[in-house]
Amino acid sequence: MRKIIMAFAMAMALLSAGAMAQGTKDLMFGGKGGFMKPHGSDNDAGFTVGAVLGKPIQGNLSWEAELMLGIIEGEVGNNNDWSVNSVAGYAVYRSTGDVHVKAKLGVSLWDDDLDDDINLTAGIGLGFRMGRGILDVEYTQVNPSTDYITVGYILPF
């Protein structure tokens, strides 16, 4: 957990300098929550919440930084409590329209009760433009043995 918080703080410090150099125009911030599911039929999902910071790059491409914290533990195997915390950076593609496809590819630093590592991370979902913001429903494979299914809402600064 300590590694995750330190990595997130370092990433935010680096991103904030870059973001301030570009200005806060088009900067997006939001929250999300959902289930973290370890692979395997004997495993039960836990619940995770997180924060997202993003900015359009050009056209339909943007970047997103994401911090996810497990708040309700799941279960792995024979009554072993389990939770995942992660910090990730993504390149994101959104198709056009009020209802659109969202695809993301990036790198995550994750830490669970059994292991920690850095992995390539990918996700896909649907986005719905609602008011000033975007509601995202996503599936993300955060590491080789864990999936997130989340719902989030992001707004421009």
Side-chain angles (χ1 to χ4, degrees), residues 108-126:
S108 67
L109 169 63
W110 57 271
D111 181 24
D112 65 25
D113 297 331
L114 307 172
D115 198 6
D116 60 79
D117 205 352
I118 296 175
N119 287 99
L120 187 63
T121 304
I124 191 156
L126 287 176

Side-chain angles (χ1 to χ4, degrees), residues 15-98:
L15 289 174
S16 64
M20 291 306 128
Q22 296 177 19
T24 58
K25 184 177 185 306
D26 300 327
L27 198 61
M28 305 285 280
F29 180 76
K32 60 173 40 179
F35 297 98
M36 51 188 174
K37 175 71 171 98
H39 295 180
S41 60
D42 293 339
N43 301 330
D44 292 327
F47 194 78
T48 185
V49 296
V52 179
L53 180 68
K55 184 170 174 81
I57 298 171
Q58 183 175 14
N60 294 351
L61 295 177
S62 63
W63 61 260
E64 286 184 3
E66 177 181 279
L67 172 67
M68 299 297 289
L69 301 172
I71 60 168
I72 298 176
E73 293 183 336
E75 198 170 281
V76 176
N78 296 328
N79 299 325
N80 294 321
D81 289 338
W82 168 89
S83 181
V84 174
N85 300 309
S86 64
V87 62
Y90 297 102
V92 178
Y93 171 81
R94 291 180 186 272
S95 63
T96 57
D98 287 340

